[in-house]
Amino acid sequence: MHPYAKFTAMLAAAAALSGIPEVSSFVHPSSSSRASTHLNLENQIADMIDKEVDRLHNIGSWREQQAEKLKKGKEPTMPQGFDFNSANDFGPNAGAAKKIQMRKDKRMAREDPARYCADRCVATGNCDVWEDMFEMAADEVQQFCTECVLSEDEEPCDVPEKFIENAGKNSWDLMP
């Protein structure tokens, strides 16, 4: 007999008398002693999981509902309380194009006067920026451009008084 057999038998008998269950490393504990598991979720997460389970069980009806929503979203509808005057109200605005061109001309006249004179004033006859700024007529501005700005001669030319008054000011401060 094994030397520890008597000791093991005595421990088993004592355990049986005391009501302690016999424990073995090869025997799984009974299911009654298993610890319970709790899952704590927020209500919205639990609802989301429930809806997904319902969707998976009733996939056919879910697809029908989605198709109905998509069909409903594609139906053309007129906005409520909106007054459509005419098609011309939604067309391009001719005044806007003129304002944009005027801004470009002002910037060119400030940053590169020689280019403004050559490209806009002499070539096209459109000298509005300098006409307003120097309070001159169109032919006077063209004459100023050809004689003073674009001239390669060293001869003195007639500079408008308004130009001399604004000579030291920042070019952005000059308002036509």
Side-chain angles (χ1 to χ4, degrees), residues 88-160:
N88 295 335
D89 291 344
F90 300 104
N93 188 351
K98 188 174 182 179
K99 287 180 183 178
I100 291 170
Q101 186 60 47
M102 183 60 114
R103 263 197 317 257
K104 288 180 180 179
D105 289 348
K106 286 179 182 179
R107 185 180 306 124
M108 187 188 305
R110 272 194 311 266
E111 294 173 0
D112 192 359
R115 183 173 161 219
Y116 173 75
C117 278
D119 291 352
R120 297 294 294 157
C121 200
V122 175
T124 65
N126 184 1
C127 307
D128 293 342
V129 173
W130 280 6
E131 286 175 27
D132 295 340
M133 190 179 295
F134 298 137
E135 299 172 356
M136 297 170 40
D139 58 337
E140 293 174 326
V141 173
Q142 286 186 354
Q143 182 180 359
F144 170 71
C145 280
T146 54
E147 291 178 4
C148 296
V149 178
L150 299 176
S151 175
E152 294 181 7
D153 297 335
E154 298 280 332
E155 299 176 19
C157 60
D158 294 330
V159 178

